[in-house]
Structures are given as structure tokens and as C-alpha cells.
Amino acid sequence: MIQLQDGDLLYHTSYLEIRNIDLSKGKRGLDFGKGFYVTSSYEQAFSYIPQAVRKARRLKRVPETFSNAEGVINVYRVHLDANVLFSDRGCCKLSGIHKE
């Protein structure tokens, strides 16, 4: 587990830009449960682009011609304060993560 610091960057791979995190759109049955998955590693986020694009094509969210180059790495900056709680299970309150 990493220790998040104020100003740290977190990355989320997708086929589209995600400006506002909406936990109600998370899917159940994922590896660590329902949630919005981020990583502190840009390289790891970059490596997920083909998987995100493949999934978007399979679910018909993008055309078959959509390429990996069109995948998006969303970048969020952590802003810690006393009202924001983080744990190794993820963020308990997302007001502490802001789109970069």
C-alpha cells in the first residue's frame, strides 16, 4: 500500500474523459468490489489502454475502428484535508480527488 500525499497524481484508464467521478456507475463483481479504480503509476495506467479500448468496443460504446491511440488516461490530483478519508480499500470520500 502506498501512502498518499497531498498533491499526488492518480490515473484512471478509459476510452473517454471522466471529469466527475460517479461511484454509482461502478460495476459490482470487480477484483476489489464496486468502485472507481485508480493507480499511482502512469506506466500501469498506460498499459491498461488496450484492455479499456477492447472492452469499450465489445460493449459497443465506441466503433470497431476506435484505436488504442484514442484511449484516455484521466489524471486526478489528491487534495488531502481532515474531512477526506483514504484506506487501502480505496477512497472513502471522493471530494479529495480532483480532475487535473
Side-chain angles (χ1 to χ4, degrees), residues 40-99:
S40 59
S41 167
Y42 179 87
E43 292 78 13
Q44 185 178 29
F46 186 82
S47 74
Y48 288 155
I49 290 174
Q51 179 181 341
V53 169
R54 244 189 337 273
K55 181 179 177 182
R57 282 192 212 124
R58 187 179 74 246
L59 297 173
K60 308 279 190 230
R61 294 181 177 156
V62 297
E64 284 297 320
T65 57
F66 195 89
S67 72
N68 288 346
E70 296 174 275
V72 175
I73 298 175
N74 292 279
V75 182
Y76 304 92
R77 185 174 299 280
V78 175
H79 297 284
L80 298 178
D81 66 41
N83 297 314
V84 179
L85 304 173
F86 290 92
S87 74
D88 62 349
R89 290 268 181 198
C91 183
C92 302
K93 189 173 178 184
L94 287 175
S95 60
I97 301 178
H98 303 281
K99 179 74 174 165

Side-chain angles (χ1 to χ4, degrees), residues 27-38:
K27 304 291 184 253
R28 295 188 187 282
L30 298 174
D31 292 344
F32 300 103
K34 185 176 180 178
F36 186 83
Y37 288 64
V38 296

